[in-house]
Amino acid sequence: MPTSAPTTAPTGSPAATPTGGRAVRVLLAHDQPMLRAGLRMALAGAEGLAVVGEAGDGVEAVDLARRLLPDVVVMELRLPRLDGLGATRGIVLSGLPVRVLIMTADAPRGDGADGQREADEQVLGAVAAGAAGYLGKDVPAGELVAAIRTVAAGGAVVAPLILGRLLSRFAELLPVAGDSLPGKALEGLTEREREVLVHVARGHSNAEIAVALTVSETTVKTHVGHVLTKLRLRDRVQAVVLAYETGLIRPGDGAGPDR
């Protein structure tokens, strides 16, 4: 996914109205009313932006996105009924002309290797779900406004600290000279393990995969473990990258594995 660090656009500049002169329509999706009010206030003074609705859970976010057709949904990940990743997928797969900007307290903060890995997987899950950007909740108001404008204009935004960490991790996964063709790496997987890998690459949780495949969550965990072991991968982040490198799944592909 192309990325760009958020930069504040001057008031009245072309970047202030990336939707052809009309105001950029924004939907706020957060489970805490006070934080939604804070976001609304932060955007109220920005020229060329208009908050057109608020959602308190993921189901409502998808419903309002369909009814209001905002240009950008500012989405929290931890939402009741349907989490932010599920809501993002629902919006993207519906074909709506609506883009999603994830803004969450769960952005990577460098709190230990396990915490970093989990947060990295979350960012990749958001990207796989179709989000056009990922910011931490403590981003300055000016950068949030600029990010919304960038996303509305068709660009993508990842906070620089998050992007730097992800690029470092991706560097570890690049094939070295003399390696076999990437596609051969999947030959040892069963059909079900390939299905599970596709779901992992789309950012689905074990619980979501279990529902999709009509199996128990324990069975899914077993399949994921087999995939990581067979492919000699360290974690789900590497699994996501490998799935894209081998062509098993492509950005924006919501129909299933390529045959």
Side-chain angles (χ1 to χ4, degrees):
M1 181 185 74
T3 53
S4 60
T7 54
T8 303
T11 299
S13 73
T17 55
T19 50
R22 65 173 175 79
V24 175
R25 294 162 53 82
V26 181
L27 172 65
L28 304 178
H30 201 294
D31 62 327
Q32 298 183 36
M34 290 187 64
L35 291 181
R36 290 201 307 272
L39 286 173
R40 181 183 281 274
M41 290 181 61
L43 301 179
E47 181 178 347
L49 296 187
V51 176
V52 296
E54 299 181 12
D57 61 62
V59 173
E60 186 180 16
V62 175
D63 179 60
L64 288 179
R66 289 171 176 162
R67 292 197 287 116
L68 300 177
L69 292 180
D71 298 297
V72 179
V73 179
V74 178
M75 183 85 71
E76 164 64 32
L77 283 182
R78 294 184 180 274
L79 293 175
R81 293 213 287 170
L82 180 66
D83 66 19
L85 293 186
T88 298
R89 280 192 293 271
I91 292 170
V92 172
L93 293 178
S94 68
L96 297 173
V98 178
R99 311 198 79 210
V100 178
L101 173 63
I102 300 293
M103 184 178 178
T104 180
D106 295 329
R109 295 182 177 277
D111 297 333
D114 290 341
Q116 290 180 7
R117 183 171 296 113
E118 180 180 355
D120 289 350
E121 291 177 4
Q122 195 172 67
V123 176
L124 285 180
V127 172
Y134 198 107
L135 299 175
K137 71 168 185 177
D138 53 355
V139 64
E143 290 187 7
L144 173 59
V145 169
I148 291 173
R149 288 172 175 157
T150 297
V151 169
V157 175
V158 178
L161 290 177
I162 299 173
L163 177 60
R165 291 238 343 279
L166 288 179
L167 290 177
S168 295
R169 294 206 64 191
F170 287 153
E172 303 172 7
L173 309 176
L174 295 175
V176 297
D179 277 358
S180 59
L181 293 176
K184 293 183 178 180
L186 305 181
E187 291 178 351
L189 299 182
T190 66
E191 188 66 23
R192 178 46 59 93
E193 287 167 352
R194 289 169 68 95
E195 288 179 323
V196 169
L197 178 55
V198 168
H199 282 285
V200 170
R202 289 177 181 154
H204 296 177
S205 66
N206 287 345
E208 290 175 320
I209 298 173
V211 172
L213 301 182
T214 320
V215 298
S216 70
E217 191 170 347
T218 299
T219 298
V220 172
K221 291 179 181 178
T222 299
H223 284 314
V224 172
H226 288 167
V227 169
L228 297 181
T229 299
K230 288 183 177 181
L231 300 180
R232 293 185 291 181
L233 302 174
R234 183 177 61 245
D235 52 38
R236 293 168 79 108
V237 175
Q238 290 188 335
V240 170
V241 174
L242 183 64
Y244 280 96
E245 285 184 339
T246 59
L248 183 65
I249 187 171
R250 296 188 179 94
D253 177 13
D258 295 318
R259 301 292 186 188

